[in-house]
């Protein structure tokens, strides 16, 4: 490549990246899936589009795509909060394993009937499209301003970080079967699965602990902490792949451990990787769009539509029902999780595996998978927000911990100094410092007012512009929410959702029945509101869960450490 071509390549790539950024604004207004926009821009830049760029290097695409996927999954792990695992770890792992196998199997059967392919080839394509891209789902939900129930959002979040290894394992295994003359693969498949998952879990946990430990102990310039975290995660990813484990599972676990550890410059690490994840998605989908030749797609349009419809309306829903059967999910949430089986980057990257293995008909496989992903992005991606509203699984926006300064203190208790700004209309404005709700072990260090630290033992009324310093070793989410912007504008919506009255979770159902005039089965007369709600949601309620008792609905308003702390009562007209 000459110097002129190098400059042209850099200029063209930067223009495409800028177009993607501007296109994200348009996609937000139209409600279009942002990944679809990136993909279409890549196709327009390709050989059949105005850009006229010819790109068919599958090896380079696989390398860059795998690297981008690793960065995206690492960022997903960084954003996963440990509190979400209590509610949704079991359901998410079931979806990521059993769900992927069922989806791949049913889709493979449909492909065998539709395309009359050999069983192994049909199942290979089913395995390629078996995993979801929940990162795209959350991007769309954030653009739409929706706040999902914690059980639903956590399940999708954890599933997105853990289902890729199973799809990759199935794809690699079926490629090996097609390339080998052996007939008995039962034991080898089981041992390969255990090796992939076992090494991924082991090296991910060990690598995550080591990276977090080094981030705490090393004295680095502030700008190098995010780079060290990324390099550490990618090192674990590469090492795990080299010795035969699941690198994607390993790097997700590294992200979870690092993201939930009190680290110096934690906010910088999260912001940096959020930007890197966006850059990876833009680059990956532009590249995948360049790989496709649109003029080759018409012959496979009808079979691809049929396969996509079977996957969306049959395979994914059945997989969700079977996977979540032991966990008693409400039917509305099961329907939404089924509809969130959005396909994205992973299937397209996996579609490169047959080509890299030297198999026949690989171009057809790739184009077929690409079109199935395209249909999924259009059909499911464009309708996720309306479906969420229709199923009533969103909750009113809640006060969240705002952006604030955090400094990790290297002590045995692993404490962190938090500094919050008192802003207009936040709940902390006008509060007395002695009445601030401190968690166990947390210490109020002082208040910075006009550049001076005030350490008075007497109570001090907080005013706009103050900065409150808190030293804590545990989560400060509830404390930090006091410094978030007020949600007064959403009061009407909250009342419509949670109800007109607020009652104690210890309120007796019998007393409520007497006051509001509804009948109650004898078996529930001695129960409190919390006990009754827990019995309906198997002791794992989340904000927004509701139960109906003839004329009233009891709605979970607040929870803490798995316990209901506030219940709304809504009158049914």
């Amino acid at each position: 490549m000459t110097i002129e071509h190098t400059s042209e390549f850099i200029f063209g790539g930067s223009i495409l990246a800028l177009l993607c950024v501007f296109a994200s604004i348009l996609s937000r207004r139209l409600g279009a899936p942002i990944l679809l926009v990136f993909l279409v821009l890549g196709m327009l830049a390709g050989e059949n589009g105005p850009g006229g760029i010819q790109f068919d290097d599958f090896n380079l695409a696989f390398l860059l795509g795998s690297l981008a996927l690793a960065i995206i999954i690492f960022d997903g792990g960084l954003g996963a909060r440990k509190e979400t695992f209590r509610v949704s770890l079991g359901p998410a792992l079931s979806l990521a394993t059993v769900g992927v196998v069922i989806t791949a199997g049913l889709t493979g059967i449909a492909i065998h009937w539709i395309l009359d392919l050999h069983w192994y080839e049909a199942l290979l394509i089913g395995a390629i499209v078996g995993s979801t891209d929940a990162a795209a789902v959350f991007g769309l939900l954030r653009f739409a301003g929706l706040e999902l129930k914690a059980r639903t959002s956590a399940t999708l979040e954890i599933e997105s970080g853990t289902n890729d290894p199973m799809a990759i394992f199935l794809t690699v295994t079926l490629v090996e079967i097609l390339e080998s003359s052996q007939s008995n693969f039962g034991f080898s498949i089981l041992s390969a699965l255990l090796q992939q998952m076992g090494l991924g879990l082991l090296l991910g946990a060990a690598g995550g602990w080591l990276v977090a430990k080094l981030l705490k102990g090393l004295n680095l310039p502030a700008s190098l902490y995010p780079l060290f975290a990324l390099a550490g995660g990618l090192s674990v990813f590469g090492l795990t792949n080299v010795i035969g484990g699941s690198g994607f599972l390993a790097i997700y676990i590294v992200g979870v451990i690092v993201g939930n550890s009190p680290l110096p410059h934690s906010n910088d690490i999260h912001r940096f990787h959020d930007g890197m994840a966006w850059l990876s998605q833009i680059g990956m989908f532009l590249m995948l769009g360049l790989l496709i030749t649109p003029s080759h797609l018409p012959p496979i349009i009808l079979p691809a539509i049929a396969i996509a419809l079977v996957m969306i309306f049959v395979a994914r829903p059945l997989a969700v029902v079977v996977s979540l059967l032991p966990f008693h999910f409400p039917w509305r949430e099961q329907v939404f999780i089924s509809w969130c089986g959005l396909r994205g980057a992973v299937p397209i990257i996996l579609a490169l595996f047959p080509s890299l293995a030297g198999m026949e008909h690989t171009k057809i496989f790739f184009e077929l998978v690409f079109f199935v992903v395209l249909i999924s992005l259009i059909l499911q991606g464009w309708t996720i927000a309306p479906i969420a509203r229709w199923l009533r699984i969103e909750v009113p926006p809640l006060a969240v911990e705002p952006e604030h300064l955090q400094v990790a203190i290297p002590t045995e208790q692993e404490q962190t100094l938090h500094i919050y700004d008192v802003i207009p209309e936040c709940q902390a404005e006008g509060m007395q410092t002695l009445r601030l709700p401190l968690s166990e072990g947390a210490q109020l260090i002082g208040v910075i007012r006009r550049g001076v630290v005030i350490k008075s033992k007497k109570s001090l009324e907080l005013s706009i512009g103050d900065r409150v310093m808190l030293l804590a070793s545990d989560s400060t989410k509830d404390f930090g929410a006091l410094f978030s912007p007020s949600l007064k504008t959403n009061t009407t919506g909250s009342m419509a959702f949670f109800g007109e009255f607020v009652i104690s979770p210890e309120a007796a159902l019998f007393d409520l029945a007497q006051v509001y005039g509804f009948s109650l089965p004898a078996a529930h007369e001695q129960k409190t509101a919390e006990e009754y709600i827990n019995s309906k949601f198997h002791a794992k309620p989340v904000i927004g869960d509701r139960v109906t008792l003839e004329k009233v609905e009891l709605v979970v308003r607040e929870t803490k450490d798995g316990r209901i702390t506030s219940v709304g009562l809504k009158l049914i007209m």
Side-chain angles (χ1 to χ4, degrees):
M1 182 180 288
T2 64
I3 294 177
E4 288 185 3
H5 286 157
T6 301
S7 300
E8 291 173 359
F9 177 80
I10 294 173
F11 175 70
S14 60
I15 291 297
L16 282 175
L18 285 173
L19 286 175
C20 287
V21 173
F22 285 119
S24 67
I25 301 172
L26 179 62
S27 73
R28 181 184 303 178
R29 293 180 179 177
L30 297 177
I34 186 65
L35 300 185
L36 175 63
V37 175
F38 299 159
L39 205 58
V40 170
L41 283 174
M43 294 171 67
L44 291 174
E47 58 182 307
N48 283 163
I53 300 173
Q54 292 188 352
F55 178 73
D56 58 358
D57 191 335
F58 278 26
N59 290 288
L60 179 60
F62 180 76
L63 171 63
L64 297 178
S66 298
L67 179 62
L69 271 177
I71 293 172
I72 293 167
I73 291 175
F74 183 57
D75 178 65
L78 286 173
R81 300 272 63 85
K82 60 183 178 182
E83 295 85 3
T84 65
F85 287 83
R86 180 192 68 84
V87 176
S88 298
L89 180 60
L93 291 180
S94 181
L95 283 169
T97 51
V98 176
V100 170
V101 172
I102 294 175
T103 302
L106 293 176
T107 306
I109 292 172
I111 292 170
H112 171 72
W113 288 340
I114 293 169
L115 297 178
D116 195 26
L117 291 177
H118 186 277
W119 276 110
Y120 283 149
E121 291 181 329
L123 290 172
L124 172 60
I125 299 176
I128 288 172
V129 297
S131 67
T132 63
D133 190 348
V137 173
F138 281 103
L140 290 171
L141 293 174
R142 282 195 294 269
F143 284 152
L146 293 176
E147 184 84 19
L148 291 178
K149 284 186 180 181
R151 179 172 45 244
T152 305
S153 61
T155 298
L156 289 169
E157 178 183 337
I158 299 172
E159 181 199 8
S160 70
T162 55
N163 68 359
D164 296 338
M166 177 58 77
I168 293 169
F169 163 75
L170 292 174
T171 301
V172 172
T173 301
L174 286 165
V175 168
E176 291 176 352
I177 290 175
L178 287 167
E179 289 296 295
S180 174
S181 58
Q182 298 181 34
S183 58
N184 184 11
F185 284 89
F187 178 76
S188 61
I189 290 176
L190 179 60
S191 62
L193 175 61
L194 293 176
Q195 177 180 328
Q196 287 260 325
M197 298 302 176
L199 288 175
L201 287 169
L202 180 63
L203 293 180
W209 176 84
L210 180 60
V211 171
K213 196 77 174 175
L214 290 173
L215 283 169
K216 293 176 188 176
L218 293 176
N219 185 17
L220 299 172
S223 57
L224 289 184
Y225 282 97
L227 288 174
F228 184 88
L230 178 60
L234 290 175
S235 298
V236 175
F237 169 76
L239 175 63
T240 307
N241 280 331
V242 166
I243 63 176
S246 172
F248 290 106
L249 178 59
I251 198 171
Y252 178 75
I253 294 173
V254 173
V256 170
I257 294 174
V258 171
N260 285 279
S261 300
L263 300 173
H265 306 286
S266 176
N267 283 345
D268 293 337
I269 291 174
H270 283 273
R271 279 194 291 264
F272 172 81
H273 285 92
D274 188 48
M276 287 298 297
W278 272 109
L279 179 62
S280 298
Q281 293 206 54
I282 289 173
M284 179 168 54
F285 276 86
L286 283 175
M287 179 188 66
L288 296 175
L290 289 173
L291 277 176
I292 282 295
T293 305
S295 59
H296 294 171
L297 295 179
I300 55 102
I301 288 178
L302 290 180
I305 291 175
I307 293 167
L309 293 178
V310 170
M311 181 187 70
I312 293 170
F313 291 102
V314 179
R316 171 69 176 180
L318 285 176
V320 169
V321 169
V322 174
S323 300
L324 298 183
L325 192 61
F327 304 101
H328 310 284
F329 266 51
W331 71 267
R332 292 177 184 273
E333 295 178 42
Q334 291 193 49
V335 171
F336 184 74
I337 291 172
S338 298
W339 194 248
C340 284
L342 195 68
R343 267 56 190 175
V346 176
I348 301 177
I349 295 296
L350 291 182
L352 299 175
F353 274 67
S355 174
L356 297 175
M359 293 176 56
E360 297 180 353
H361 313 301
T362 55
K363 189 67 175 177
I364 297 175
F365 286 3
F366 182 79
E367 291 169 349
L368 183 67
V369 170
F370 178 89
F371 205 83
V372 169
V373 170
L374 196 63
I375 295 169
S376 174
L377 286 173
I378 294 172
L379 180 59
Q380 294 172 289
W382 228 306
T383 56
I384 281 177
I387 291 291
R389 294 190 181 99
W390 175 65
L391 290 171
R392 297 170 58 198
I393 61 166
E394 82 276 16
V395 296
L398 304 173
V400 295
E401 189 173 26
E403 291 287 337
H404 64 285
L405 180 63
Q406 300 179 60
V407 180
I409 309 297
T411 63
E412 293 182 0
Q413 291 80 21
E414 296 184 342
Q415 293 177 306
T416 302
L417 179 66
H418 303 264
I419 302 179
Y420 296 95
D421 291 324
V422 180
I423 61 176
E425 295 190 350
C426 73
Q427 296 180 55
E429 181 188 355
M431 288 186 68
Q432 297 291 326
T433 53
L434 292 182
R435 300 190 64 180
L436 291 172
L438 302 181
S439 59
E440 185 177 354
Q443 304 173 53
L444 184 65
I445 303 301
V447 176
I448 302 175
R449 177 171 290 175
R450 300 186 184 91
V452 178
V453 178
I454 303 174
K455 296 183 179 180
S456 174
K457 292 184 179 180
K458 297 181 180 180
S459 189
L460 178 70
E461 183 177 307
L462 297 177
S463 59
I464 297 173
D466 287 346
R467 291 185 171 179
V468 179
M469 297 184 292
L470 178 76
L471 187 65
S473 55
D474 296 323
S475 171
T476 59
K477 182 179 179 181
D478 293 337
F479 182 86
L482 297 174
F483 299 86
S484 294
S486 175
L487 296 176
K488 294 177 182 177
T489 56
N490 196 51
T491 302
T492 303
S494 295
M495 183 178 294
F497 184 86
F498 290 112
E500 300 84 353
F501 307 101
V502 180
I503 63 173
S504 167
E506 301 300 323
L509 282 185
F510 181 80
D511 294 339
L512 294 175
Q514 296 297 311
V515 173
Y516 293 100
F518 59 85
S519 59
L520 194 64
H524 299 308
E525 287 183 352
Q526 303 303 317
K527 290 182 178 179
T528 64
E530 180 182 23
E531 290 170 344
Y532 183 70
I533 294 173
N534 278 334
S535 69
K536 295 297 182 181
F537 293 96
H538 303 275
K540 290 186 177 180
V542 297
I543 294 174
D545 280 344
R546 61 184 64 228
V547 293
T548 302
L549 292 166
E550 293 183 357
K551 300 179 180 180
V552 303
E553 280 186 337
L554 301 181
V555 188
V556 179
R557 289 182 62 95
E558 297 175 7
T559 63
K560 185 176 182 180
D561 299 329
R563 294 289 306 274
I564 300 173
T565 57
S566 179
V567 177
L569 189 146
K570 182 176 182 179
L571 301 177
I572 301 176
M573 301 299 181

